[in-house]
Amino acid sequence: MRLFGPKPVLGVLFVCMGNICRSPTAEGVFRHRAKLAGIDRILRIDSAGTHAHHQKEPPDARSIQAAARRDYNLTKIRARQVVPGDFMVFDYILAMDQYNLRSLESLKPGESRAHVGLFLDFAPRLGHREVPDPYYGGPEGFEHVLDLAEAGATGLLEAIRIRLSERGGESGE
C-alpha cells in the first residue's frame, strides 16, 4: 500500500502467452520510458500471460540479458496469469499478438471499460501488428522484440499524454 505520493490514474497491462519473453520486455521498456517522461508514478504498469505455465518465474534469461544491454531492468518481474480483475484495474490491456488478443477478448467481462488491443497498434509506422515470440529462436529475436517494444512504448506514451491532457492534466495527487 502506497502511503505517500500520487496514486496511479491509468493502468497498462502487457500480455503474451507465458509472460516470460515479450510482455515482460514490453513492461520493462515502458516502465523505463514512463520514468524518463516523469509519469511513472501515476501509472500502474504490469505484465501477464494468458497461460499459467510459468507462474512466479522470472523472465527468460535471454530477455533479461538483451534488455540489460539497453539499460532496461527486468529482474524484478515475475510471471503471472491474467485474471478477470485485471479488466477492472487496467485501462489498457495490450496483447503481443492476435492469438493472445482473442484470448483476452474472450476473458473480458462485459462491464469492463478497458481498451483491449494490440500493443503495436500504437506504432503503426512499423508495418507490424504483432510482436513475434523469440522463445525458440536465437538472440536476434530478443533484440527484435526490444526494437518493437521501444517503438510501441513511444506511441503508447504519446497516447497516454493525450488522454491525460484531455482529462485536464490529472496527476493522481
Side-chain angles (χ1 to χ4, degrees):
M1 182 165 99
R2 188 178 281 176
L3 298 176
F4 301 103
K7 68 176 188 166
V9 296
L10 280 177
V12 180
L13 181 66
F14 299 99
V15 180
C16 66
M17 185 179 296
N19 192 213
I20 60 166
C21 293
R22 296 172 290 171
S23 55
T25 297
E27 176 188 346
V29 168
F30 186 73
R31 187 178 297 281
H32 180 81
R33 297 281 178 95
K35 185 173 185 171
L36 291 176
I39 62 170
D40 61 310
R41 294 180 62 209
I42 62 167
L43 299 176
R44 175 180 285 114
I45 304 167
D46 200 359
S47 61
T50 55
H51 292 71
H53 305 303
H54 301 284
Q55 294 273 43
K56 299 183 182 176
E57 290 180 20
D60 185 287
R62 297 165 296 172
S63 291
I64 292 171
Q65 292 164 356
R69 285 192 292 273
R70 298 191 195 188
D71 294 324
Y72 303 118
N73 184 350
L74 309 184
T75 60
K76 293 181 183 174
I77 298 171
R78 294 294 177 266
R80 71 175 186 87
Q81 188 174 14
V82 173
V83 296
D86 289 332
F87 293 91
M88 308 316 264
V89 174
F90 292 95
D91 301 278
Y92 296 92
I93 300 177
L94 303 174
M96 299 296 121
D97 59 33
Q98 292 286 345
Y99 173 83
N100 288 294
L101 177 60
R102 285 189 298 276
S103 294
L104 290 169
E105 288 170 339
S106 71
L107 292 171
K108 182 180 178 183
E111 66 274 14
S112 171
R113 296 183 57 179
H115 166 83
V116 177
L118 291 171
F119 177 42
L120 291 187
D121 283 349
F122 290 94
R125 291 188 175 135
L126 283 178
H128 299 283
R129 294 198 67 217
E130 298 186 318
V131 178
D133 190 346
Y135 188 79
Y136 293 104
E140 65 282 348
F142 292 87
E143 295 296 331
H144 184 59
V145 167
L146 279 161
D147 293 339
L148 297 174
E150 288 173 342
T154 298
L156 178 57
L157 275 171
E158 183 58 30
I160 287 173
R161 281 190 190 107
I162 291 167
R163 185 169 176 171
L164 290 172
S165 69
E166 289 172 351
R167 288 176 149 189
E170 192 173 320
S171 69
E173 297 181 317

